[in-house]
Amino acid sequence: MRRSNAMTTQRLYDADGYLTSCTAQVTACAPAGEGWRIALDRTCFFPEGGGQYGDQGTLVLEDGTALPVRDTQEEDGAVWHHTARPLEVGTPVRAELNWPLRFARMQCHTGEHIVSGLFHRLYDLDNVGFHLGDEEVTVDLSGPVAWEDVQRVERLANEAVSRNLPVSCTYPAPEELSRLDYRSKGEIAGPVRVVTIPGYDVCACCAPHVRHTGEIGLIHFLSLQNWKGGVRLRMLSGSRAVEDVIAKQASVSDISNQLSAKQGEVAQAVARLCAELEETRLRAAHLGRLTAQALADGIAPGKEEALFFLELDTKAQRALVNAALQRGVGLCGVFVPAGERWNYIVGCAPGRDLRGAARELNTALNGRGGGSAGMIQGSVQAGRAQIEAWWRKFGNES
């Protein structure tokens, strides 16, 4: 069944990236992780390479049994199809590609070539890192670029799509290759496969591509971030870009309806809402401090201890503890509800040390937190009755 010296696989996808199935024979089979890997004498499956994942699909036996292929890798000239179970060497199969997945990747990859070519030509920036995931594409550029320039490239890239230009994949002869100005991340041993999009990009690449730029459908950038001295771009192409635009349009429409604002003005409406919320937060904080002071003023002078259960922000909570201590209270605790927990701040007059109390509180009431001798802060997960019981016990012991 097993043979490690697999023959070199004939790569049918190299000549025809639109071939979705082919007949083949098993030339080798070996364990691979929790499954098996199977080499064929010929395949339409592209193995992982050039920033693109390996193809998926099925190997169909003569009796109709379908063996799913979850990944495809290349090693020593052989293309290995990763499956859950083995096949005998010599077994005839029909390799059937997951075409929708492959085509989506081709759309993204050809789209990446267009934008990388544009960044190289317009801004002298190199693509120094590329990853074509099944959620999005990332492109790492060698230097900084402004978002306005990214948008310019996006417009020009979609212009290339609309022109429906031919995309050619060729192996130039050595003398022709030496005269050719093409992008490449490094020296390539052996024949060099060059992908050409006239007027936009010439680049060494081993992966399948669409035949015409119009098949890409849409090129769309998602974000820009600084990355290792340059920038990282997140982008989508084809059906993935369309689905992203549809989803975002649905979100904008929903926000527009909730804010009673035109769709083109939702950003301004959200900014106004954020300003109003900040004003409300500041007003609430001010009222919280006034409440804390009023509560502290109502404490009888010389009171030994005080315990409050209130809804205050952290600043007002701390202000109440401090104001109570200034009134001469020896021990003050304020517990504020926070979902299933209570946030606490406990303070004491000079001469006492609360650090041990913090450990006891956390142990007794499933808490976390700590602090200094004069004040501790944290949260507990317990009911109000449990907190009051602990407080009475703690007060008596101290």
Side-chain angles (χ1 to χ4, degrees), residues 160-238:
V161 171
S162 68
R163 294 176 65 186
N164 200 29
L165 299 167
V167 180
S168 64
C169 303
T170 60
Y171 286 92
E175 59 275 11
E176 180 185 354
L177 187 66
S178 65
R179 298 191 300 268
L180 197 61
D181 182 16
Y182 65 97
R183 293 189 304 112
S184 177
K185 291 187 176 69
E187 294 295 326
I188 301 174
V192 178
R193 184 172 182 264
V194 176
V195 177
T196 301
I197 305 171
Y200 290 89
D201 191 42
V202 182
C203 181
C205 182
C206 60
H209 286 266
V210 299
R211 289 174 179 151
H212 292 86
T213 59
E215 296 173 77
I216 298 171
L218 177 66
I219 296 173
H220 180 50
F221 286 109
L222 303 176
S223 70
L224 165 72
Q225 69 179 103
N226 294 330
W227 185 261
K228 297 182 179 179
V231 296
R232 168 165 287 184
L233 297 170
R234 295 170 52 242
M235 63 172 284
L236 295 171
S237 294

Side-chain angles (χ1 to χ4, degrees), residues 44-324:
C44 56
F45 282 53
F46 172 73
E48 181 174 1
Q52 181 170 321
Y53 285 140
D55 280 335
Q56 299 176 17
T58 55
L59 300 181
V60 182
L61 307 184
E62 289 183 322
D63 63 2
T65 301
L67 187 59
V69 176
R70 55 177 179 259
D71 190 18
T72 314
Q73 299 287 324
E74 186 274 340
E75 184 179 314
D76 297 331
V79 176
W80 293 92
H81 306 70
H82 288 248
T83 64
R85 67 179 182 86
L87 290 177
E88 293 282 352
V89 171
T91 301
V93 299
R94 186 174 75 255
E96 295 185 348
L97 194 62
N98 180 340
W99 174 247
L101 178 61
R102 156 72 85 76
F103 186 67
R105 291 172 175 176
M106 290 164 60
Q107 289 177 306
C108 288
H109 204 149
T110 308
E112 175 270 323
H113 274 235
I114 293 174
V115 302
S116 293
L118 284 167
F119 278 116
H120 182 73
R121 175 164 60 86
L122 297 175
Y123 304 107
D124 197 27
L125 294 173
D126 293 325
N127 177 341
V128 294
F130 164 62
H131 178 71
L132 197 167
D134 286 331
E135 297 297 328
E136 63 185 28
V137 176
T138 61
V139 178
D140 299 338
L141 298 178
S142 58
V145 63
W147 182 245
E148 292 77 9
D149 297 324
V150 173
Q151 291 177 313
R152 178 191 179 198
V153 166
E154 182 171 345
R155 292 186 181 96
L156 292 172
N158 281 290
E159 181 179 304
V161 171
S162 68
R163 294 176 65 186
N164 200 29
L165 299 167
V167 180
S168 64
C169 303
T170 60
Y171 286 92
E175 59 275 11
E176 180 185 354
L177 187 66
S178 65
R179 298 191 300 268
L180 197 61
D181 182 16
Y182 65 97
R183 293 189 304 112
S184 177
K185 291 187 176 69
E187 294 295 326
I188 301 174
V192 178
R193 184 172 182 264
V194 176
V195 177
T196 301
I197 305 171
Y200 290 89
D201 191 42
V202 182
C203 181
C205 182
C206 60
H209 286 266
V210 299
R211 289 174 179 151
H212 292 86
T213 59
E215 296 173 77
I216 298 171
L218 177 66
I219 296 173
H220 180 50
F221 286 109
L222 303 176
S223 70
L224 165 72
Q225 69 179 103
N226 294 330
W227 185 261
K228 297 182 179 179
V231 296
R232 168 165 287 184
L233 297 170
R234 295 170 52 242
M235 63 172 284
L236 295 171
S237 294
S239 57
R240 297 175 183 175
V242 172
E243 290 302 318
D244 183 76
V245 170
I246 290 173
K248 287 177 179 174
Q249 176 58 38
S251 293
V252 170
S253 178
D254 189 29
I255 295 169
S256 170
N257 291 334
Q258 291 188 50
L259 298 181
S260 298
K262 295 179 180 178
Q263 291 189 13
E265 298 174 356
V266 293
Q268 299 93 314
V270 169
R272 286 193 300 271
L273 181 60
C274 288
E276 292 170 4
L277 289 174
E278 177 63 14
E279 183 180 345
T280 301
R281 187 190 67 80
L282 293 174
R283 187 182 303 114
H286 176 67
L287 293 174
R289 289 191 294 273
L290 293 177
T291 301
Q293 188 61 54
L295 289 169
D297 290 344
I299 299 174
K303 185 177 178 64
E304 184 59 29
E305 60 183 61
L307 177 63
F308 297 92
F309 293 89
L310 299 164
E311 290 193 20
L312 297 174
D313 65 17
T314 303
K315 290 183 179 179
Q317 186 181 7
R318 186 180 296 274
L320 177 53
V321 172
N322 287 328

